[in-house]
């Protein structure tokens, strides 16, 4: 199985919510390809963000790019169909948040979306043992979930290498996404360890360049240039 193409997935958690549609349009025009959509419930994680209404609003605004819904909510099953109807492409969840992981993965696919499991820094990859054929994406958290702007946890590099091997050995078409503390200065090393999908929130939305034709051209361009080196 050939390695999947690199994709940058800006986390809109760090965007300006007062003009979200414009922010998403701009960041996609800069060369980023996936909209990373962080859903937090003040229960599974100690923060509260956005839900299906906002996903639906982005679709109605005209966003056609893939929307990668990262659910940091517990439980997960009740809200999955709502995100599918709202236009999610990927729906991922944390194994600790579902009583029946296999059922939740099947539910996501049955709703017509791509499915994924998310691993916190201390969560072992063994949750994948019997469900690898039911995931389209594996998301490794390189920070503890709940907030943008945290520092990359270095032990994630070994976990990325282990996960890369797991995917390659399986021959399955699974994206390997990394989320948390991804910046221009570590993205190449993260790719070398095995990731193909790179979430960046503060690393992108924290660096708008007013002189650019598009506010995010410079920062996304720098990330793509780093990826091209590996
Ligand atoms: C954290 C979220 C991340 C976060 C990443 O729980 O899942 O997607 O927004 O933010 P940065 O890139 O700032 O670490
Ligand atoms: Zn996320």
């Amino acid at each position: 199985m050939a390695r999947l193409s690199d994709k940058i997935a800006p986390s809109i958690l760090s965007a300006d919510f007062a003009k979200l549609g414009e922010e998403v349009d701009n960041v996609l025009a800069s060369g980023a390809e996936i909209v990373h959509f962080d859903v937090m419930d003040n229960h599974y994680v100690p923060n509260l963000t956005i839900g299906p209404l906002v996903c639906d609003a982005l679709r109605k605004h005209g966003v056609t790019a893939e929307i990668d819904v990262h659910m940091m909510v517990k439980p997960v099953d009740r809200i999955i169909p709502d995100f599918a109807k709202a236009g999610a492409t990927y729906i991922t969840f944390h194994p600790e948040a579902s009583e029946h992981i296999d059922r939740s993965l099947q539910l996501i696919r049955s709703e017509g979306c791509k499915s994924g499991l998310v691993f916190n820094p201390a969560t072992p990859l063994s949750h994948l043992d019997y469900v690898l054929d039911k995931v389209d994406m594996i998301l490794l958290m390189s920070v503890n979930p709940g907030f943008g702007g945290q520092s990359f946890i270095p032990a994630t590099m070994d976990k990325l290498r282990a996960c890369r091997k797991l995917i390659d050995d399986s021959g399955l078409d699974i994206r390997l996404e990394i989320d948390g503390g991804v910046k221009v200065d570590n993205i190449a090393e993260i790719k070398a360890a095995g990731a193909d999908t790179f979430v960046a929130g503060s690393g992108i939305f924290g660096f708008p360049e007013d002189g650019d034709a598009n506010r995010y051209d410079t920062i996304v361009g720098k990330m793509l240039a780093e990826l091209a080196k590996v």
Side-chain angles (χ1 to χ4, degrees):
M1 176 65 54
R3 182 87 174 249
L4 298 174
S5 62
D6 295 333
K7 290 190 180 182
I8 293 182
S11 163
I12 59 173
L13 188 60
S14 294
D16 181 347
F17 279 110
K19 45 179 182 179
L20 189 58
E22 188 187 324
E23 288 272 80
V24 170
D25 290 344
N26 284 341
V27 84
L28 290 171
S30 73
E33 290 180 73
I34 300 182
V35 178
H36 185 80
F37 192 100
D38 286 306
V39 184
M40 303 185 188
D41 67 349
N42 189 37
H43 170 67
Y44 179 65
V45 291
N47 199 358
L48 187 64
T49 59
I50 47 178
L53 275 175
V54 176
C55 186
D56 186 53
L58 287 177
R59 287 300 186 211
K60 287 186 174 136
H61 174 74
V63 174
T64 55
E66 293 185 323
I67 298 181
D68 165 29
V69 173
H70 173 194
M71 293 202 306
M72 289 159 273
V73 306
K74 184 179 181 173
V76 301
D77 289 2
R78 222 293 298 145
I79 201 82
I80 286 170
D82 294 11
F83 274 111
K85 279 186 203 73
T89 311
Y90 289 91
I91 299 179
T92 68
F93 66 92
H94 291 245
E96 298 90 343
S98 173
E99 297 292 341
H100 305 284
I101 296 168
D102 183 285
R103 173 182 288 148
S104 302
L105 290 170
Q106 289 197 50
L107 177 59
I108 293 170
R109 282 192 176 170
S110 75
E111 290 287 331
C113 297
K114 296 180 185 177
S115 59
L117 272 184
V118 190
F119 294 83
N120 287 332
T123 304
L125 294 176
S126 55
H127 288 285
L128 288 166
D129 281 356
Y130 302 101
V131 293
L132 201 56
D133 61 329
K134 294 194 176 84
V135 302
D136 300 294
M137 177 183 274
I138 298 170
L139 170 48
L140 298 191
M141 295 301 300
S142 35
V143 298
N144 288 292
F147 304 94
Q150 303 179 77
S151 299
F152 187 95
I153 295 174
T156 318
M157 290 295 185
D158 281 342
K159 202 172 184 182
L160 267 174
R161 283 184 273 270
C163 201
R164 179 79 261 155
K165 183 169 177 348
L166 199 70
I167 293 170
D168 289 350
D169 290 351
S170 76
L172 294 165
D173 218 0
I174 299 172
R175 281 208 162 267
L176 178 48
E177 184 173 52
I178 185 84
D179 184 3
V182 176
K183 311 278 177 198
V184 171
D185 62 8
N186 63 7
I187 198 167
E189 195 189 343
I190 291 167
K191 177 180 175 180
D196 52 41
T197 310
F198 306 86
V199 176
S202 55
I204 291 178
F205 291 104
F207 293 91
E209 290 272 343
D210 285 336
D212 280 0
N214 170 336
R215 286 161 65 77
Y216 302 114
D217 277 351
T218 300
I219 188 67
V220 174
K222 281 183 186 170
M223 286 186 173
L224 289 169
E226 284 297 308
L227 291 173
K229 290 180 186 169
V230 181

